[in-house]
Amino acid sequence: MATRIAVAQFCAGQSVATNLTTCIRLMSQACKESAKMIFFPEASDFIGNPSEEALTLAHPVDGDTGPFLTGLCAQAQQLGIWCSVGIHEKSPYQDKLYNTHVLINHHGDIVSSYRKIHLFDVNIANGPILMESNNTVSGTQLVAPVPTPAGRVGLGICYDLRFPEMALALRKQGAEILTYPSAFTVKTGEAHWEVLLRSRAIETQSYVVAAAQAGKHSDKRASYGHSMIVDPWGKVLAECDGHSEGIAVAFVDLASLTRIRAEMPVLEHRRYDIFP
């Protein structure tokens, strides 16, 4: 049986309250489209705040989760929908945060969280210089895929998309859906976004769901958008545009996934005797 899911995109700003209102609106829209699960972008809680302010806005993912996660959990429970979302998480370090992907079930409970392990430290020619490690501490481990109404979900974040070994590791652990909440730059998005998402889907024979920030956050920062759902054959099932707030909806068909994996069992054909 196929399950309907929604991938969202919007342009987050510095106001946590405004971003929460946007997410709640998109969750309601997803429910009207009969989606059982919605996927939000990286840094859905806030973007572009000064480092000192960001440290005060971040909260842990257990205990006092703060207004953003608390609001999302309440809405997930009220609507009976699962939610994947990228946030800033408080860390033990005074000057750095975690970049975290949180999974919320239809009861409003946080059932899993993953801290980004690959940090985006790049200097793009004629483009932005971004040093994520200046204010973010990397995670240290993968998180086991989580059973959801749509399938077993493997958690990644944005730049993790460029590391196929991570996707393959999640597939070997049972993932059927790979998720990459993102805030791709326009320059790298135009060049690599779709081809990377389709590549991860094809090589792991998994659904790939990538919710993206979209539009101009400030004079210094803009995100590429094009939130996307890709099937295990590499076909783009649903896609948002490069600038608008909204959702795209598609079905996850695990019977189709099982057939593709059985007919072309690439994981079984991998030569672990030659390379790990």
Side-chain angles (χ1 to χ4, degrees):
M1 182 177 177
T3 302
R4 200 170 175 90
I5 65 170
V7 63
Q9 75 174 30
F10 68 103
C11 184
Q14 296 186 6
S15 169
V16 173
T18 299
N19 296 332
L20 174 60
T21 298
T22 299
C23 290
I24 288 174
R25 180 169 60 249
L26 292 172
M27 290 174 80
S28 296
Q29 186 178 342
C31 281
K32 290 178 182 177
E33 296 282 347
S34 301
K36 299 299 182 185
M37 190 167 188
I38 185 168
F39 297 79
F40 285 110
E42 176 183 27
S44 286
D45 50 353
F46 59 85
I47 277 185
N49 305 63
S51 298
E52 298 79 9
E53 182 182 3
L55 291 167
T56 66
L57 292 175
H59 291 267
V61 296
D62 52 9
D64 177 16
T65 57
F68 184 81
L69 272 186
T70 299
L72 277 191
C73 289
Q75 188 70 2
Q77 181 182 32
Q78 180 177 336
L79 296 176
I81 190 171
W82 283 64
C83 175
S84 155
V85 63
I87 63 155
H88 300 83
E89 180 191 359
K90 195 175 204 55
S91 83
Y93 302 90
Q94 291 186 346
D95 58 345
K96 294 186 178 184
L97 304 171
Y98 290 118
N99 185 342
T100 301
H101 182 171
V102 174
L103 201 59
I104 302 166
N105 70 14
H106 63 301
H107 298 300
D109 301 318
I110 295 174
V111 294
S112 187
S113 64
Y114 158 76
R115 295 165 177 164
K116 187 179 182 185
I117 60 176
H118 300 104
L119 299 185
F120 191 59
D121 286 358
V122 298
N123 184 346
I124 305 294
N126 301 315
I129 299 174
L130 293 170
M131 300 296 293
E132 188 174 14
S133 63
N134 285 347
N135 48 40
T136 305
V137 56
S138 64
T140 58
Q141 61 185 4
L142 295 183
V143 174
V146 180
T148 77
R152 290 187 293 275
V153 173
L155 307 182
I157 300 173
C158 199
Y159 192 47
D160 289 331
L161 175 59
R162 293 185 179 272
F163 300 88
E165 62 274 15
M166 176 176 171
L168 287 167
L170 289 169
R171 160 73 201 274
K172 285 190 285 186
Q173 291 182 26
E176 296 162 320
I177 302 167
L178 300 176
T179 53
Y180 298 98
S182 298
F184 253 56
T185 68
V186 173
K187 188 177 183 68
T188 58
E190 289 174 344
H192 299 151
W193 176 247
E194 180 176 332
V195 70
L196 283 170
L197 293 172
R198 295 180 68 193
S199 295
R200 297 297 83 83
I202 293 166
E203 68 200 5
T204 65
Q205 299 173 307
S206 303
Y207 284 89
V208 170
V209 183
Q213 293 283 349
K216 193 172 183 179
H217 307 284
S218 66
D219 291 338
K220 296 182 178 180
R221 183 169 182 177
S223 294
Y224 178 64
H226 294 274
S227 294
M228 198 174 294
I229 302 171
V230 184
D231 78 3
W233 196 245
K235 179 182 178 181
V236 177
L237 299 179
E239 180 181 1
C240 297
D241 63 23
H243 54 84
S244 303
E245 173 190 308
I247 63 171
V249 178
F251 284 101
V252 171
D253 184 353
L254 295 184
S256 173
L257 177 146
T258 299
R259 176 183 55 78
I260 289 170
R261 291 180 175 184
E263 292 178 351
M264 191 180 296
V266 293
L267 201 65
E268 296 174 21
H269 294 160
R270 292 185 66 82
R271 291 296 302 274
Y272 297 108
D273 58 321
I274 297 176
F275 52 84

